[in-house]
Amino acid sequence: MAEELALLVADVFEAAGALRRAGEALAGAEGQTQARWQLMSVVSEESLPVARAARRLGVARQGVQRIANELVRDGLAEFRDNPDHRTSSLLALTPSGRRALEAITARAEAAHRAMGEGIAQADLATLRALLRRLTEQTDQWAEAEAEAEAEAEAGTGAEAGGAKRGTRSRAATDRLPE
């Protein structure tokens, strides 16, 4: 199973690269980048602080802040007062930003139809469910590893003092899904 999972990981990285290149082409046709498209998409439903948008995207806040500043500079987004936090403004799309996002989204929908041609909808749904499950289990494994390493460094874990990177305490192993 480990070998098959390693091959799947390689396939996922290859697919991610192909999709990233396609995304850059789609966004580029509208004068944007994929990173700008992703950020516009994240704040399209509700205005968000940059830090929360970064967490949703799974990337560093500093990079998202730079892109947010560019979007604001280009009139595609604006910073609004945050009633919950005086020093953490909300990023919101402007009408120009919404039009840009709609144009990219329309291109993406057409591309997705072409990319998915010949693949059954049920197969796509199954693949999505499996990828979500793998992502969840990977996150759980990583959290358990981090906890075990922290316990070992603090001298309270099962392998205190002699823990090596990549080894798990009994407590960490017990938290892994079956």
Side-chain angles (χ1 to χ4, degrees), residues 53-71:
R55 281 192 300 276
R56 287 197 49 199
L57 291 167
V59 296
R61 182 200 55 78
Q62 295 85 348
V64 174
Q65 184 68 60
R66 181 185 54 78
I67 295 165
N69 292 342
E70 291 174 4
L71 291 172

Side-chain angles (χ1 to χ4, degrees), residues 152-176:
E153 288 176 4
T156 61
E159 280 115 26
K164 296 179 187 172
R165 186 173 281 295
T167 61
R168 285 190 291 269
S169 69
R170 173 87 175 126
T173 304
D174 289 344
R175 288 188 290 270
L176 291 174

Side-chain angles (χ1 to χ4, degrees), residues 118-140:
I119 301 174
Q121 190 168 359
D123 289 343
L124 289 173
T126 299
L127 179 58
R128 286 187 63 227
L130 287 170
L131 283 173
R132 284 192 307 270
R133 181 175 170 196
L134 178 60
T135 299
E136 182 179 305
Q137 288 183 199
T138 301
D139 286 344
Q140 290 172 354

Side-chain angles (χ1 to χ4, degrees), residues 18-27 29 37 102-119 124:
L19 291 168
R20 198 172 6 266
R21 290 186 299 276
E24 282 295 342
L26 290 166
W37 173 21
E102 288 167 4
I104 297 168
T105 301
R107 284 182 183 276
E109 287 172 359
H112 293 159
R113 282 191 296 277
M115 289 177 207
E117 193 171 312
I119 301 174
L124 289 173

